[in-house]
Each structure stands twice: as structure tokens, then as C-alpha cells.
Amino acid sequence: MDKEMIKNVVPSHTETFCFLIDIDEIEGQTTRIFQHHFCCRFLDSLPQEIAYEFIKKMSLKKFAKGDRIIHQGKKLENFYLILKGICGVNVERADIFYDIDKLGSGEIIGAEALFNEKVSTAHVHAETDVELLCMSGKQFEKLALEMPDLKSFMTSVLVHILSSSKLPDNRMIGKYSVTNEIGHGGAGIVFKGAHSVLNMPVAIKMLTHEMSMDPDFIELFRNEAKTIALMNHPNIVKVYDIEEAYKTIFIIMEYLEGATLDNVLENVEKLSLERIIDITIQVCNGLEYAHNLGIIHQDINPRNIFLQSDGRVKIIDFGLACRRGSVDSNFLFPGSLHYISPEQIQGNPVDERSDIYSLGITVYEMLTGEKPYKVTEGKDILKWHLEEDFDSANIYMENLPVELRNFFMKTIMKEPSERYARVSEILKELDPIAKRLKIERPCFCRQNQMMGMFLVFQEEQQLLLKKYIEEFSRKISETGASLKVMRFED
């Protein structure tokens, strides 16, 4: 065989996101065309024309049965999509080979090359004669600059690796192991995982590559993530750690048992007034804490309010959070349109009152199961937020306690200056009805944390160590913490 090349790619007429790939096989003066029917789930996220061009840019490689395609521990330069045949995956430990998996048409091997991972974690061989579509990691990187939609291919591949790989090393993000996918949104994918040493359950949010490979966005995100990680409040999801791997960022958070408010609203006919007030007060407690730190959530809605099975409420997903007074152009994620404040639409600086507006829309939805407007088109929703006044004679309003009616009408004023200035004013407004319903506002008290360490030294080192400890203590004091030293005899 002198040469083989991909001649043409057209859509399959029988299955969605499957392709008919024409391969030219040139031998001497003779050219033969072979057609392959190829389906690949990793291409589902791509526009069809991008998928065509991507496949056309790949080269065809053939391996005979028994050939080693990828060597464990060796640097990976290429990744492959299996066009035809079966590949076997095995791991070598102490000169013993352990079979791990068998992969067929449409699967990927050598995916580490996509993410600049240096070496393969397993051997891959041809279980049968195989034909593979091949591309180098460097070529893909250049192609993704020309066709940014290819970043979604990276995300699809990585989600598969983290949720399905039979190689434990491939499912590690720093010191955390991924177990399964539990959620999928516009900006990221959420997995359940565990700390590899403590075996503590965690939620791991992975940013999509479209987001993580945007230099402007990622720098803002890193700065905000560091701030959010410092928050410590019972009504805000706790961020434990931030890891960077596979050309994206992972946020390690506490794992919550329960459901988001939007899921609850879809599955119950109506929430009790007591539960609605309780949820609203708990969300207000979390918002008050964040606002006191100068952090504006920017995306309060039922998807980002989590109801735990023990009754506690957590605000989640601070992915769009910003500092008070910021102007953020990244607000139009799916779902946010229904709850967005007029000033966000207009591109004006945001503050506490933007979150208060979104909270008002959310509370109305809890009360009625509906949005406070009847329009459904995006442009009409934006117009309502900007211009349309809510009908205070609405039948739902007439049956509400006066405190709740006042709360709602004031939260959704178009002009920020006419809303509550601070969440503390809302809590004061709702206090009478909370007392009547015997809903207590919990007191959040900051608790001191302690860390222990042991210093083992010889007598002659004591003087120098005392100097170092004094310097260290001064630096600790500058953070507001304190260092306590106790002496023990060995």
C-alpha cells in the first residue's frame, strides 16, 4: 500500500452525528475508495460542519492485530479515534500485565495528548486489525484556535474520562478521586468525588474548556475563586480547594444531599408558606454574609438554591460572582435571563440590589409556580425586566400576608434606588411573619479553627529556632490569627 487518505466526509442518513467517511487507498496507479460508517459520541457537541472539517484534518493509521499502539509511561504526542476494529487496554505492574478494557469504533485512545499530559497511564494494543483516525495534540491545539468550537470536544472527552475510565489514575484531580457525574450546566459539569486520603465526599465542578481557555475570563475567575474560597457560612456552599488540570479548572466543594429548588418546584404542587419563608430567610442570611464581604452573586435563581434533606438551605454556584460595583458582561447563561436585574441588562454596575431583584422573582415563583410575567420570548422577557410594571392587583398578591406582599413589590422595582438597599432590611421586613409562623433565624457565630504541628529539634538549635518562631508569629498576627507555642519533653 503506497498511500491512504481521507477523501470526503458526509453525514449519515440513518443516525444522528454519524458520518460516512470515504478513504482513498492508492497502490501504484490504482486508487480504490472505501467507505466507513463512523459514529462518535465525542463529536455530538460540535456543529456538523465543524465535525466534518475536524475529521478531514485527521490522518488514517492502520495497525495489525497484536501491534502496540501506545506504550505505558511513554510520552504521548497523538490521540486516536477508532474507526474500525478493537483495541485492548492493559496496565503493567511489576512485569505483570492486567487487562483493563476493550474499546471499539467511535472510542478514543491516547486522549492525554489533547491535554498535554506527558505520559500514558496504560498500554494500548490492537486486539484485531484496526484503522484509526489520528491527530497530534499540537495539531489539535492549532486547529482549536481556528475553530473554537473544538473546545467542546475536549470537554466531552474529559467528562467521559472522569466519569467512565477504568484507570483510577485518570480519574484523579489532584488529591481528589472522581466517582460519577451528578450535574451539567452552561458553565461547567459537576462530579461527585472523594478526598483520596480522608475519604471525605466532595462535589467537583469542572469548568468547560470554552470558559477555562478564555484568558480574560479565567483570570477574573481565579481572583474571585480565591475570595469565594474564604467564605464560611452555613447558607453558602463551602469551597475547599481549587485544582488545575487537563487544561481547565476544578472547584472542590462540600457535597450536598438534597435537591436544587428548581427540581423541587418541578416535583411538588405547592410549597407551604412556612417553607417559603424559611427558604427566603436562609437565602437572605447567606446573601447578607456575602454582601458584607463585597461579593455579589449575580445569578440568584432556583437552580442556584440547594435544599438539603435536613432542611438547611445553601446558595451554590458563585461562578458569576463579582465585586460590588463591577460591570460584568458574562451574565447571560441559560436560565439567568428570567431572573436578571435591569441594571445587569443595561451593563450598569451591580450591587446588593441586583441580587435582591433576582431573589424577588425567585420568591414569586415559589409562591405561585410561575414567573411574574406571561411572555416567553427572550427579547420580551428583557423588555419586561426593563419596562413593564407588575400588576399589584394580581390575585396571588391579594392572598399574601402584607409583609410578603410588601417584600415582593419592593424587590422587583425597576429602579435600584427604590428597592431594599440591603438584605438586612428584608430580614427586618419578614421578621413579624417569621415570628407568627415560629420560624427562627439562626445565629451564625464564627468559630475559631485550630491547626497542630510538631517541631523536633536539638538543644543547640533552640536559640536560632526561637528567632524563626518569633518572626513567624509576627507574620501570623498580621493575618488576624495567633500562634500558641507549648513545650513538650521528648
Side-chain angles (χ1 to χ4, degrees), residues 265-313:
L265 293 176
E266 286 175 5
N267 293 292
V268 298
E269 187 173 335
K270 189 177 181 182
L271 290 174
S272 68
L273 184 60
E274 289 85 353
R275 186 61 174 138
I276 292 170
I277 298 296
D278 182 35
I279 292 170
T280 303
I281 288 175
Q282 291 197 56
V283 171
C284 283
N285 288 337
L287 281 178
E288 184 181 36
Y289 175 86
H291 291 169
N292 286 340
L293 294 176
I295 298 171
I296 310 302
H297 186 282
Q298 279 217 111
D299 199 21
I300 293 295
N301 66 68
R303 288 183 296 108
N304 290 332
I305 296 172
F306 197 95
L307 311 185
Q308 293 183 267
S309 51
D310 62 2
R312 285 181 296 172
V313 178

Side-chain angles (χ1 to χ4, degrees), residues 187-390:
I189 300 92
V190 182
F191 301 91
K192 184 178 180 181
H195 190 289
S196 58
V197 177
L198 303 177
N199 202 29
M200 176 182 69
V202 294
I204 303 172
K205 181 177 180 179
M206 180 190 96
L207 289 188
T208 64
H209 289 86
E210 181 183 6
M211 305 300 297
S212 67
M213 295 175 75
D214 179 335
D216 294 333
F217 173 83
I218 207 63
E219 188 57 35
L220 287 171
F221 177 84
R222 281 194 185 101
N223 292 337
E224 292 304 331
K226 290 173 184 176
T227 302
I228 294 163
L230 296 175
M231 292 197 293
N232 181 22
H233 190 278
N235 296 123
I236 294 176
V237 66
K238 180 63 180 171
V239 174
Y240 295 134
D241 208 348
I242 298 168
E243 297 279 357
E244 297 194 31
Y246 294 107
K247 290 190 176 180
T248 188
I249 289 184
F250 297 84
I251 307 166
I252 317 299
M253 303 174 289
E254 64 176 315
Y255 178 73
L256 305 175
E257 295 278 1
T260 55
L261 178 57
D262 66 325
N263 285 335
V264 172
L265 293 176
E266 286 175 5
N267 293 292
V268 298
E269 187 173 335
K270 189 177 181 182
L271 290 174
S272 68
L273 184 60
E274 289 85 353
R275 186 61 174 138
I276 292 170
I277 298 296
D278 182 35
I279 292 170
T280 303
I281 288 175
Q282 291 197 56
V283 171
C284 283
N285 288 337
L287 281 178
E288 184 181 36
Y289 175 86
H291 291 169
N292 286 340
L293 294 176
I295 298 171
I296 310 302
H297 186 282
Q298 279 217 111
D299 199 21
I300 293 295
N301 66 68
R303 288 183 296 108
N304 290 332
I305 296 172
F306 197 95
L307 311 185
Q308 293 183 267
S309 51
D310 62 2
R312 285 181 296 172
V313 178
K314 299 265 189 180
I315 303 171
I316 62 174
D317 200 346
F318 278 76
L320 297 182
C322 67
R323 286 290 183 178
R324 181 190 293 112
S326 298
V327 176
D328 193 348
S329 60
N330 291 314
F331 59 83
L332 284 178
F333 283 106
S336 300
L337 190 68
H338 296 287
Y339 309 89
I340 196 168
S341 68
E343 57 269 27
Q344 284 175 291
I345 298 170
Q346 294 165 332
N348 293 331
V350 297
D351 59 23
E352 293 91 332
R353 296 168 296 182
S354 298
D355 284 346
I356 288 170
Y357 181 93
S358 302
L359 177 62
I361 305 289
T362 300
V363 172
Y364 184 88
E365 193 170 349
M366 281 196 284
L367 289 165
T368 67
E370 302 175 357
K371 309 288 191 303
Y373 45 80
K374 302 300 181 185
V375 294
T376 56
E377 293 293 327
K379 59 180 176 55
D380 295 325
I381 295 171
L382 291 176
K383 183 180 178 183
W384 185 90
H385 285 307
L386 290 169
E387 302 173 6
E388 304 292 333
D389 290 325
F390 179 74

Side-chain angles (χ1 to χ4, degrees), residues 140-152:
F140 180 87
E141 196 170 337
K142 291 179 181 177
L143 198 60
L145 293 176
E146 301 171 19
M147 297 186 286
D149 286 322
L150 282 178
K151 294 171 186 174
S152 65

Side-chain angles (χ1 to χ4, degrees), residues 41-52:
R41 58 184 150 177
F42 307 121
L43 301 176
D44 287 3
S45 59
L46 298 178
Q48 205 166 57
E49 64 276 9
I50 297 295
Y52 297 159

